[in-house]
Amino acid sequence: MKYKKLLSGALGLLAVVSLAACGGGDSKAEAGADSAKDLAKEERVKKASIEVYVPKGKNTDYLQKSIELYNQKYDTELELNPVDVAPAIPMVQKVTPKLVANEKMPDLIFLQDNNAGSVFDKFEDLFYSSEDFGFVKEYGKDFYDAKMNMLGNIAPSKKVFGFPNDWGNACMFYNETAFKEAGIDVTTIKNWDELIDAGKKLKEKTGKKLLFMRDTGELDLVKYLTEQQGVSLFDKNGKLNLLDDAVKKSYEIIQKLQDEDLVAYGNSKDYTVIGQECGVIFAGGWLASYQATDYPDDAGNWRISAIPAVDESKNFSPMSGGSSYYVPKKSDNALAALQFITFALTDKDALDAYMELSGLPANVTAYQSEVAQKEFPYYGNQKILLTLDEISQNSIKGYAFPYSADLDNYIEAASYDIKNNGMSVDKALKKQAEDFASKYNVEINE
């Protein structure tokens, strides 16, 4: 994908400017004298305009609603000044030059978890810590363990800086109508062997392929299958697990799918378009925010479930996204931002508003509300928020490092060599693991 190709440039920029970031005096002193612990003792800010870098759409709408609720509760006059910045690499590219130059920053930044490491590797001292502010002690227990584990591994100090917004785990969107036409009850499918058998029958009876894969080299399914087996592609020390048996098992399953001609290939940007014509789509719960709008004619046909297990005795929900908010020190209204985002991520009415927008809070208490019981007609009146919460409760615990996101390019390259160049799985993985390790000076778990 274009964003992933841009990652190398973004990481390169961080490497080039690291000396500038580390030099020029005490960054803590330059950014502001008050620590998050000090700010936690301050009175509530009554009037301020909070500038936030956040993607346009449900996340901006959620913050706007939250600030209305905040002002009502605390009799304040806060205003939100959202700046539309796309997530992932564009956000990293937007904030990095400002951090390098020690320029004034926005009061809040929305960062995806798997990209945050590339920022905090060099600029940890330029942000306030949610842990020091007291957020983790007071509210950490209310969030998914996997989410808090991720946030605790982003910064080099292993201190938590992020305010946890949402958490995504991959699930299986499936066309129940098509499977029923083929005489298949998807709810009885427990593992990948059974899913492949169902896919063969689906193709025979309806002509539909089972699923989508990238024609440039499969990526997402490799990661999902590996993580289902309880193996993260990096261990907690940052060592690479690309040569683990779980990765090789993932390629065995992919090979079976390809051998049975159950795959529809295409460009990664078209995977939902192509997937909509297949039996299943593997994606994070965020897809539910768009599927009904983008494909209204399929209303009532689709359902959501956990992905069938690779090994039923040891099965985890693979990760698929997640984002958090961060508060830079060198901003006009950091204290107001700290106070506001704490409210937005913990207040019941604010969390309800997020779920009404099809947001998936990382705060597990949100799913105890009446809003979480909402039935979605597009999914046959399924209570998908409860389904997605159940899936996330079983999440694998993963780790984020400055180089994590770039591994995607190496997995794609291995997949391409295996499928198109006839390279063995062992050889393709070894080549890419060694190339990646050489570039980032990381160790490989053999």
Side-chain angles (χ1 to χ4, degrees):
M1 293 176 67
K2 181 171 70 175
Y3 286 168
K4 288 186 172 64
K5 290 178 181 177
L6 288 172
L7 178 62
S8 295
L11 291 172
L13 174 60
L14 288 172
V16 169
V17 302
S18 61
L19 290 177
C22 295
D26 186 343
S27 59
K28 289 183 179 179
E30 291 172 358
D34 291 329
S35 71
K37 290 181 181 178
D38 294 329
L39 292 178
K41 303 171 186 176
E42 296 291 329
E43 296 292 325
R44 190 168 302 280
V45 176
K46 289 296 184 180
K47 188 173 184 179
S49 177
I50 298 176
E51 183 180 35
V52 53
Y53 286 1
V54 62
K56 185 178 181 180
K58 68 178 179 183
N59 290 294
T60 295
D61 295 343
Y62 160 53
L63 293 181
Q64 291 282 18
K65 179 61 178 177
S66 294
I67 213 159
E68 293 175 12
L69 294 168
Y70 184 91
N71 286 333
Q72 291 170 10
K73 180 172 183 177
Y74 294 111
D75 193 26
T76 52
E77 298 179 43
L78 299 191
E79 296 179 352
L80 194 72
N81 177 22
V83 178
D84 180 22
V85 183
I89 305 307
M91 187 70 76
V92 173
Q93 293 176 323
K94 177 76 171 178
V95 303
T96 297
K98 289 178 173 291
L99 292 167
V100 171
N102 202 23
E103 295 178 357
K104 185 173 78 69
M105 297 287 291
D107 304 298
L108 270 177
I109 295 171
F110 174 100
L111 272 174
Q112 291 189 340
D113 296 334
N114 64 341
N115 299 113
S118 61
V119 174
F120 278 82
D121 184 50
K122 303 299 180 186
F123 304 108
E124 176 179 326
D125 287 347
L126 301 184
F127 289 85
Y128 286 114
S129 161
S130 59
E131 184 175 339
D132 286 347
F133 191 64
F135 182 93
V136 175
K137 182 178 181 180
E138 186 167 356
Y139 300 108
K141 65 183 182 303
D142 294 335
F143 292 78
Y144 292 123
D145 287 343
K147 177 70 173 186
M148 298 310 297
N149 176 77
M150 175 66 78
L151 292 184
N153 283 278
I154 287 174
S157 67
K158 304 304 180 185
K159 181 182 289 186
V160 178
F161 283 79
F163 289 81
N165 178 46
D166 61 359
W167 181 242
N169 288 98
C171 52
M172 184 170 76
F173 292 73
Y174 64 94
N175 189 327
E176 184 181 58
T177 301
F179 277 103
K180 279 188 174 181
E181 183 182 338
I184 301 165
D185 180 359
V186 176
T187 63
T188 66
I189 297 174
K190 303 302 181 186
N191 56 56
W192 270 92
D193 286 336
E194 294 175 358
L195 181 60
I196 290 172
D197 287 341
K200 290 189 287 186
K201 191 173 181 181
L202 178 73
K203 179 187 170 188
E204 177 188 349
K205 299 292 186 180
T206 69
K208 288 182 177 291
K209 298 294 180 74
L210 180 61
L211 51 77
F212 165 89
M213 285 190 195
R214 302 178 187 218
D215 54 12
T216 54
E218 182 50 24
L219 168 64
D220 296 319
L221 196 53
V222 177
K223 296 197 296 185
Y224 294 163
L225 290 165
T226 300
E227 291 181 355
Q228 278 191 278
Q229 299 169 74
V231 176
S232 175
L233 286 164
F234 295 98
D235 69 16
K236 64 181 180 181
N237 297 313
K239 295 181 180 180
L240 181 63
N241 283 330
L242 195 59
L243 303 184
D244 193 276
D245 287 343
V247 182
K248 297 172 184 178
K249 176 64 175 178
S250 300
Y251 276 103
E252 288 179 14
I253 294 172
I254 290 170
Q255 186 65 55
K256 287 181 183 178
L257 290 162
Q258 293 170 337
D259 288 346
E260 296 293 346
D261 193 26
L262 302 180
V263 179
Y265 296 98
N267 191 286
S268 59
K269 66 181 179 62
D270 296 323
Y271 87 96
T272 55
V273 177
I274 298 171
Q276 195 73 16
E277 299 301 319
C278 295
V280 304
I281 302 173
F282 297 112
W286 53 264
L287 179 60
S289 304
Y290 305 98
Q291 195 176 25
T293 301
D294 293 347
Y295 309 101
D297 292 344
D298 286 333
N301 293 338
W302 288 80
R303 303 290 186 273
I304 302 174
S305 73
I307 302 174
V310 175
D311 179 352
E312 293 181 61
S313 68
K314 184 180 67 175
N315 184 46
F316 297 88
S317 300
M319 296 181 295
S320 181
S323 62
S324 303
Y325 287 95
Y326 295 87
V327 180
K329 289 181 178 178
K330 194 163 187 178
S331 62
D332 289 337
N333 293 296
L335 176 57
L338 288 163
Q339 293 171 341
F340 164 66
I341 201 60
T342 296
F343 168 87
L345 300 176
T346 59
D347 179 77
K348 177 186 178 301
D349 291 335
L351 294 170
D352 281 352
Y354 194 35
M355 289 192 293
E356 289 282 8
L357 294 164
S358 296
L360 299 172
N363 190 326
V364 298
T365 66
Y367 302 95
Q368 300 168 11
S369 75
E370 289 186 15
V371 174
Q373 299 285 335
K374 178 181 176 181
E375 296 179 348
F376 287 74
Y378 190 87
Y379 299 100
N381 290 326
Q382 182 181 359
K383 297 178 181 180
I384 67 170
L385 294 173
L386 296 181
T387 299
L388 294 169
D389 172 50
E390 183 179 353
I391 291 169
S392 289
Q393 294 281 0
N394 189 42
S395 178
I396 185 175
K397 291 184 178 179
Y399 305 94
F401 299 94
Y403 41 78
S404 295
D406 194 28
L407 182 63
D408 288 358
N409 294 311
Y410 293 79
I411 295 173
E412 283 190 77
S415 296
Y416 185 88
D417 280 339
I418 293 165
K419 180 180 181 295
N420 297 295
N421 296 331
M423 192 177 291
S424 70
V425 171
D426 285 346
K427 185 176 180 181
L429 291 177
K430 185 173 180 61
K431 177 182 184 301
Q432 296 303 324
E434 290 177 349
D435 287 351
F436 184 88
S438 176
K439 180 177 180 179
Y440 291 107
N441 194 29
V442 299
E443 294 182 42
I444 304 170
N445 286 321
E446 299 286 348

